[in-house]
Amino acid sequence: MKLFTTDEIRAIDRHTIEQEGVPAIQLIERVAEGVADEIATRWRSNKPTIVFAGPGNNGADALAAARLLYERGFRPEVYLFNIGGDKLSTDCATSRDRLIAEAPEIAFCEVKDRFSMPKITSNHLIVDGLFGSGLREELKGGFKSLVQNINDENATVVSIDLPSGMFGDWNPQIVNRNTIHATLTLAIQFPRISFFIADNAELLGEWKVLDIGLSERAIASSPANFCLVEKRDVHRRLRHRKEFASKADFGSAVLYAGSYGMMGAALLAARGAMRAGVGKLTVNAPKCGFDILQTGVPEALYRHNRGELNIVEIHPERDFSAIAVGPGIGTNELTVKALDDFLASINRPVVLDADALNCMAIKPSMLNNIPVLSIITPHAGEFDRLFGPQPSAEARLRKAVEMAKYYNILIILKGHYTAIVRPDGKVYFNSTGTPAMATAGSGDVLTGVLLSMLAQGYPAELASIIAVYIHGLAGEMAAAEHGEYGVTAGDIAANIGRAIRETMM
């Protein structure tokens, strides 16, 4: 699914109105219908309800929703902010007039100068239609005070389009206290880019998209730098296997992983690779890992590294289809040097994860030798060690866009909505996954799946999207069996094959 910026959505909205002849007021009615239906489905009509409407089209949505809620048996109090008496958009004025005419019993107040805050309790339902995506700058003065008062009362809040005070794209200077904390955000037509950034979770609450029928032609023809990866995106790219296929058709991969006390990481990555369908896998590990790997993943070949306890050389002895380095290798001085020498000598994409990233953080000059279109997979801590501390998740994502372009690599920034950041500036947010995956070794499994997809011939950009989606789905399957608390990385690895099968169905 394409994710558009606020300006891009406005352009699609304009195209729908001007080129396809759908009146703006009709789109407002569609929004209102969706809002009223959602509220009526979730709450009883006798719930005390207050609607706050701003002077623009977000306010028009809220006023129209108030009228439809009235028809469904609700009796909301409605406050329309028209400070000075001449600030309403044309559609907001139309929605106001229709509300007054068709819902005469509603307690309606048009605020033109002074405003007395109504009594709000935790039992109230608040419909926030103050600004939505029409906001151009941070809230100030009376509106800031109003938002703070609403937040302080701990009522249930439904925000139309966006929580007032929040922006759809970037929110670098946002002050949470000055922004509505929604219980439910009803986004219009598309989720916004800001929905996928951890900083904004407490502002959005639960979110849901209302389809109001904007122009499919405009949506299809509009380019987007941000996307949400869904099943259909991966389904059409996964290849079915031919009946006469052999293991030679699915690549040969080598995984440099493990050290004394951290062989589990190598084991998990290897299992992830095998379950993702690699033809042949070789695990190159210190000599101390022989028994563990031959017992724990007998399907993989074992090649002992020259080091007894640590990896001290990274020299693939033949032309493998794909190479991954990092899970559990530690940051021993000899390991750091081995990685440095390897990156200086390799000229094709590789997967670098976990301790490979920590080794590079020790010697940042290695970043300059990462091969073009290689894949690195940092979580927040690893990213900050590599590229400097970031003050927020949003800042980290924006830095990742900058670094992916600068080094011409793919950055998989792991999190709830893992972001696959490409060097051309495109960002793909993953839709699968669960908090149950916040467990040691989960990232090692992902490394294995990435390695497997590269070995099978998927280009790095596509391998990243497929692997992250499959990994997240496997986590969901593991959580369905073991519960949110009970999932281990081994459970995720065990479900990789099932996740691929489910995606291909």
Side-chain angles (χ1 to χ4, degrees), residues 319-336:
D319 189 23
F320 289 97
S321 308
I323 303 169
V325 183
I329 64 174
T331 56
N332 180 276
E333 182 179 347
L334 292 176
T335 305
V336 173

Side-chain angles (χ1 to χ4, degrees), residues 21-225:
V22 181
I25 196 68
Q26 185 175 329
L27 295 178
I28 287 168
E29 288 296 314
R30 292 176 186 176
V31 173
E33 190 78 35
V35 172
D37 285 348
E38 196 65 36
I39 289 174
T41 298
R42 294 174 181 245
W43 294 283
R44 297 178 184 273
S45 60
N46 62 355
K47 188 171 183 64
T49 303
I50 299 175
V51 177
F52 291 110
N57 279 11
N58 192 242
D61 296 335
L63 295 173
R67 189 188 78 249
L68 296 178
L69 286 171
Y70 175 82
E71 293 176 2
R72 288 159 172 76
F74 287 77
R75 291 297 179 264
E77 298 176 53
V78 180
Y79 293 86
L80 170 61
F81 291 88
N82 183 18
I83 306 300
D86 60 351
K87 298 295 192 296
L88 301 187
S89 70
T90 300
D91 292 319
C92 189
T94 299
S95 292
R96 173 199 61 188
D97 296 343
R98 189 172 177 187
L99 173 67
I100 293 171
E102 298 182 20
E105 296 177 28
I106 273 185
F108 175 78
C109 175
E110 185 169 347
V111 181
K112 297 183 178 180
D113 42 52
R114 298 181 65 84
F115 169 65
S116 297
M117 185 74 183
K119 180 175 176 55
I120 300 175
T121 69
S122 59
N123 191 43
H124 272 82
L125 171 65
I126 306 297
V127 179
D128 162 33
L130 289 171
F131 292 105
S133 59
L135 194 66
R136 297 290 187 178
E137 57 184 17
E138 293 178 34
L139 294 181
K140 299 176 182 177
F143 285 117
K144 183 171 76 171
S145 297
L146 172 61
V147 165
Q148 290 175 351
N149 286 334
I150 292 171
N151 289 338
D152 288 343
E153 299 305 331
N154 200 31
T156 299
V157 180
V158 175
S159 288
I160 302 173
D161 195 22
L162 282 168
S164 290
M166 181 178 165
F167 300 97
D169 306 333
W170 305 115
N171 291 268
Q173 304 298 327
I174 197 169
V175 177
N176 283 10
R177 174 166 165 72
N178 300 339
T179 305
I180 286 287
H181 287 54
T183 309
L184 171 67
T185 299
L186 297 174
I188 299 171
Q189 194 67 51
F190 311 98
R192 305 308 170 91
I193 295 164
S194 56
F195 288 13
F196 301 96
I197 298 173
D199 308 329
N200 303 320
E202 68 171 311
L203 305 176
L204 291 163
E206 177 191 353
W207 60 265
K208 184 175 181 178
V209 174
L210 302 179
D211 186 344
I212 64 167
L214 292 184
S215 169
E216 292 184 6
R217 185 183 310 154
I219 293 169
S221 63
S222 299
N225 281 332

Side-chain angles (χ1 to χ4, degrees), residues 311-346:
I311 283 177
V312 299
E313 60 181 1
I314 304 176
H315 296 303
E317 69 273 17
R318 60 189 180 86
D319 189 23
F320 289 97
S321 308
I323 303 169
V325 183
I329 64 174
T331 56
N332 180 276
E333 182 179 347
L334 292 176
T335 305
V336 173
K337 184 180 186 306
L339 180 62
D340 192 13
D341 292 343
F342 168 69
L343 292 177
S345 65
I346 193 76

Side-chain angles (χ1 to χ4, degrees), residues 162-435:
L162 282 168
S164 290
M166 181 178 165
F167 300 97
D169 306 333
W170 305 115
N171 291 268
Q173 304 298 327
I174 197 169
V175 177
N176 283 10
R177 174 166 165 72
N178 300 339
T179 305
I180 286 287
H181 287 54
T183 309
L184 171 67
T185 299
L186 297 174
I188 299 171
Q189 194 67 51
F190 311 98
R192 305 308 170 91
I193 295 164
S194 56
F195 288 13
F196 301 96
I197 298 173
D199 308 329
N200 303 320
E202 68 171 311
L203 305 176
L204 291 163
E206 177 191 353
W207 60 265
K208 184 175 181 178
V209 174
L210 302 179
D211 186 344
I212 64 167
L214 292 184
S215 169
E216 292 184 6
R217 185 183 310 154
I219 293 169
S221 63
S222 299
N225 281 332
F226 297 85
C227 294
L228 177 64
V229 178
E230 298 177 298
K231 178 179 178 179
R232 62 174 180 243
D233 302 311
V234 180
H235 169 83
R236 64 174 180 259
R237 290 172 170 85
L238 276 170
R239 306 170 189 147
H240 287 272
R241 296 191 165 189
K242 297 177 181 179
E243 290 185 9
F244 288 91
S246 75
K247 64 184 178 183
D249 297 316
F250 305 115
S252 60
V254 61
L255 170 68
Y256 286 86
S259 60
Y260 183 76
M262 292 195 288
M263 289 310 306
L267 192 67
L268 290 165
R271 287 176 177 172
M274 296 304 302
R275 289 292 184 187
V278 66
K280 294 177 283 185
L281 174 67
T282 298
V283 182
N284 191 300
K287 295 177 183 178
C288 65
F290 175 79
D291 289 341
I292 296 169
L293 287 165
Q294 289 288 269
T295 304
V297 58
E299 302 88 349
L301 296 172
Y302 170 82
R303 289 287 181 272
H304 71 78
N305 203 268
R306 189 162 50 83
E308 291 282 346
L309 305 178
N310 301 94
I311 283 177
V312 299
E313 60 181 1
I314 304 176
H315 296 303
E317 69 273 17
R318 60 189 180 86
D319 189 23
F320 289 97
S321 308
I323 303 169
V325 183
I329 64 174
T331 56
N332 180 276
E333 182 179 347
L334 292 176
T335 305
V336 173
K337 184 180 186 306
L339 180 62
D340 192 13
D341 292 343
F342 168 69
L343 292 177
S345 65
I346 193 76
N347 59 5
R348 60 191 179 93
V350 296
V351 181
L352 301 167
D353 179 38
D355 280 331
L357 306 181
N358 292 327
C359 288
M360 287 192 289
I362 292 171
K363 191 173 183 181
S365 61
M366 280 193 260
L367 285 164
N368 296 311
N369 290 328
I370 299 178
V372 170
L373 290 183
S374 289
I375 304 168
I376 69 171
T377 64
H379 57 58
E382 290 164 342
F383 184 92
D384 288 5
R385 285 192 286 275
L386 264 181
F387 301 113
Q390 303 300 314
S392 65
E394 178 180 302
R396 191 170 295 111
L397 176 60
R398 297 180 78 166
K399 185 71 172 179
V401 172
E402 178 188 340
M403 292 296 98
K405 181 177 181 180
Y406 182 82
Y407 290 108
N408 203 7
I409 59 175
L410 289 138
I411 299 177
I412 296 176
L413 190 55
K414 293 184 285 196
H416 176 50
Y417 294 108
T418 291
I420 299 107
V421 184
R422 301 191 341 183
D424 61 0
K426 292 186 181 295
V427 177
Y428 292 79
F429 293 107
N430 186 51
S431 64
T432 58
T434 162

